[in-house]
Amino acid sequence: MNEHRRLRNAFGQFGTGVVIITITSPQGNTLGLTVNSFSSVSLDPPLVSWCLANNSDMMARFAEAERFCVNILSAEQEDLSNAMAQPGTHELAPSHIETSATGDKRIIGALAHLDCRIHERIMAGDHVIYMGYVEGADCAETPVAPLLYFRGAYAGLA
Ligand SMILES: Cc1cc2nc3c(=O)[nH]c(=O)nc-3n(C[C@H](O)[C@H](O)[C@H](O)COP(=O)(O)O)c2cc1C
């Protein structure tokens, strides 16, 4: 096994949730990218982070963005997760979207939403770390199972 594969496998042992990061394009469309590198960072000030691959087609779109929304996916949103992980337009249909008080585009049915102003972009190897300052947060009112990712595949709660 080569070193790259060994490292990927080791990273993949860390089970995570799955989020879609949404932004609004200059034309007003809602774009989404599936990500599992999301992490909460700080409560005071309220900061979160996630990482964008340098070779992503979405690099230019995120470079021009000033805000993003983190949508924490439910187990029922696997299809949407797959759709927003395909190279291409990354456009979300209006039927999936609602607008928050901060004007950010949120995915309906997500477990939680975090409306963020981009606080910092940090170059880090083959990714850019996006730090967001959370300006709005909400949670699903009824408990819903999360979408999980483990060893390179979706997983359920044991
Ligand atoms: C579960 C899952 C987690 C992912 N996490 C990340 C991530 O943290 N950062 C990232 O840049 N891409 C991540 N990706 C890949 C992107 O969603 C997308 O597939 C990839 O960037 C190719 O599309 P693009 O070139 O249009 O960006 C993930 C994909 C999946 C399915």
Side-chain angles (χ1 to χ4, degrees):
M1 188 189 298
N2 69 32
E3 275 312 303
H4 183 79
R5 173 43 58 192
R6 196 186 304 278
L7 187 58
R8 279 191 82 113
N9 286 353
F11 285 173
Q13 301 301 317
F14 184 58
T16 68
V18 181
V19 309
I20 292 178
I21 307 292
T22 46
I23 53 173
T24 307
S25 75
Q27 293 74 31
N29 300 327
T30 305
L31 310 180
L33 183 73
T34 301
V35 155
N36 74 334
S37 54
F38 168 76
S39 183
S40 53
V41 174
S42 166
L43 272 174
D44 187 13
L47 299 174
V48 297
S49 73
W50 61 279
C51 302
L52 176 63
N54 289 342
N55 62 6
S56 168
D57 285 353
M58 293 288 278
M59 270 299 263
R61 301 311 199 108
F62 278 101
E64 66 192 3
E66 292 175 2
R67 309 183 57 82
F68 61 78
C69 179
V70 179
N71 301 270
I72 300 178
L73 298 187
S74 84
E76 276 148 39
Q77 293 177 310
E78 190 175 318
D79 289 351
L80 205 52
S81 172
N82 286 330
M84 292 300 115
Q86 298 300 318
T89 64
H90 288 273
E91 255 182 62
L92 278 154
S95 57
H96 288 298
I97 297 302
E98 62 190 5
T99 305
S100 72
T102 49
D104 296 292
K105 302 299 182 186
R106 294 174 163 186
I107 295 176
I108 296 165
L111 260 61
H113 304 103
L114 301 163
D115 304 310
C116 299
R117 167 168 50 78
I118 294 178
H119 179 70
E120 205 175 345
R121 293 177 176 87
I122 303 163
M123 310 303 289
D126 56 14
H127 281 66
V128 181
I129 303 171
Y130 271 77
M131 297 275 299
Y133 188 105
V134 182
E135 295 185 334
D138 81 354
C139 292
E141 276 161 29
T142 47
V144 188
L147 183 60
L148 301 177
Y149 200 69
F150 180 55
R151 292 185 173 172
Y154 296 110
L157 285 176

